Amino acid sequence: MSAVLVEEGVDKGAIWHFGEPSKEQRALQAGSAWADLSHLEVIAVSGEDRLKWLHDLTTQFLKDLEVNLWKSAMILDPQGHIEYQFNCVDDGSTTWLVVDPGYSEALSTYLTKMKFMLQVDVRNATAEIAVLRAPGLTTEIGGPFALVPRNELAQMSAHFNSVATQVGTWALDAERVAARRPRIGFETDHKSIPNEIGVLNGAVHMNKGCYRGQETVAKVFNLGNPPRRLVMLHLDGSDVAFPAKGTKIENNGVVVGFIGTVARHYELGTIALAIVKRNTPTDATLSVDGVPALQEPVL
């Protein structure tokens, strides 16, 4: 079957599936799958001060980042709210930041304003570089990934096709939800702080120096729990349609949160990541647009 494309949302135009999503998910699980993620955006940061500079600006420990080692990171606002989320890798001369569609322009502008007198250069490299999900067992940040010059994309895609099964975002989303990996704009809103979404000691390094928003992260971590938490929901799968991103979640008629990514997993059925109020009983059967949902706490 030919590729079915995503018709709306930030991944619009990306491949959704090839007609056999369960088969694609099994290939992904086995490490014998690859995916075209060329709709994602890429920022290039070069200059000898780049790693120390990114280390100071982000939630991740990056000042001695090993070459070809992928890391996830975030940039917070002064109040600790999540502004940007990205994966990054350094090739020895340039650090590449991979962001969701729609974020590269604003992030590039912010980074450029923060250069001051340091030897750092920032450019939007989306037109030059494409991202692929390479064959291999899934890493903790959803890789392995490959960065490919766009003029070599067809050649690399043909090579990956010769050794692995191409999959779409259906399989990738199902794997991500099952692994409880949140995505900006799906499991976050304007109030989200890292403590709510399960990224401490992941995208947020807990033993590095100060960065913007760090006081909020440390205060909530040391003195108490955030007001909301990430959960995985098991939804009644009898309804063919998925609840839309942002759909309100209710407990006995009271709104307690919102739904993020919904996926149909080949083993777990219809699952979703969601943000709910921390005081919501974990054994409560919730309702998402009239669809019953059982919780599996992540935090």
Side-chain angles (χ1 to χ4, degrees):
M1 180 177 177
S2 58
V4 177
L5 303 183
V6 179
E7 296 183 350
E8 58 184 15
V10 296
D11 295 324
K12 183 178 180 179
I15 295 172
W16 186 26
H17 63 83
F18 290 90
E20 297 182 281
S22 293
K23 179 180 178 181
E24 294 175 34
Q25 290 181 52
R26 291 188 179 93
L28 191 64
Q29 178 73 22
S32 57
W34 76 280
D36 184 342
L37 300 178
S38 58
H39 66 293
L40 299 180
E41 298 175 353
V42 181
I43 296 171
V45 181
S46 57
E48 63 180 56
D49 294 327
R50 67 189 183 282
L51 290 178
K52 174 63 166 62
W53 179 68
L54 287 169
H55 176 89
D56 292 340
L57 289 176
T58 74
T59 59
Q60 186 57 271
F61 196 101
L62 297 175
K63 66 181 179 181
D64 57 358
L65 181 63
E66 297 177 29
V67 171
N68 296 327
L69 178 64
W70 284 84
K71 291 280 189 177
S72 59
M74 293 178 168
I75 292 177
L76 311 181
D77 73 9
Q79 290 73 45
H81 302 128
I82 300 166
E83 283 199 329
Y84 302 103
Q85 176 190 39
F86 54 87
N87 292 325
C88 61
V89 67
D90 192 81
D91 65 8
S93 61
T94 301
T95 305
W96 305 91
L97 316 182
V98 177
V99 298
D100 272 5
Y103 284 92
S104 62
E105 183 176 349
L107 179 54
S108 295
T109 299
Y110 168 74
L111 292 174
T112 299
K113 289 179 179 178
M114 299 301 293
K115 289 194 313 181
F116 303 113
M117 300 298 291
L118 297 175
Q119 295 188 43
V120 176
D121 182 65
V122 178
R123 76 178 191 280
N124 192 329
T126 304
E128 309 166 31
I129 301 294
V131 185
L132 299 177
R133 199 288 191 184
L137 293 175
T138 303
T139 68
E140 63 180 11
I141 64 170
F145 301 109
L147 297 178
V148 182
R150 286 196 178 266
N151 60 8
E152 298 177 13
L153 181 57
Q155 179 182 355
M156 183 59 73
S157 297
H159 169 66
F160 282 171
N161 259 335
S162 70
V163 297
T165 299
Q166 187 174 4
V167 304
T169 61
W170 181 322
L172 295 172
D173 280 344
E175 185 280 324
R176 180 173 64 80
V177 173
R180 287 80 159 168
R181 287 198 311 276
R183 183 181 182 185
I184 193 170
F186 287 78
E187 287 73 52
T188 69
D189 60 14
H190 67 285
K191 298 187 297 182
S192 297
I193 61 174
N195 310 63
E196 297 176 329
I197 62 172
V199 295
L200 302 189
N201 295 311
V204 177
H205 196 286
M206 297 302 289
N207 294 309
K208 61 168 286 185
C210 293
Y211 52 87
R212 191 172 72 168
Q214 186 262 350
E215 279 192 15
T216 297
V217 174
K219 181 177 180 180
V220 173
F221 177 75
N222 290 317
L223 299 181
N225 292 315
R228 305 184 299 182
R229 55 185 168 84
L230 181 71
V231 298
M232 189 174 82
L233 299 180
H234 295 265
L235 286 82
D236 183 336
S238 58
D239 193 342
V240 175
F242 286 170
K245 179 188 70 173
T247 299
K248 294 177 181 178
I249 300 172
E250 296 183 350
N251 180 27
N252 292 324
V254 177
V255 175
V256 296
F258 66 90
I259 202 158
T261 309
V262 186
R264 187 160 285 126
H265 192 275
Y266 77 107
E267 289 183 327
L268 301 175
T270 305
I271 55 177
L273 290 178
I275 299 295
V276 300
K277 293 180 179 179
R278 179 164 291 278
N279 61 4
T280 304
T282 57
D283 59 352
T285 299
L286 306 179
S287 176
V288 183
D289 203 17
V291 178
L294 298 178
Q295 304 172 72
E296 188 173 327
V298 175
L299 293 174

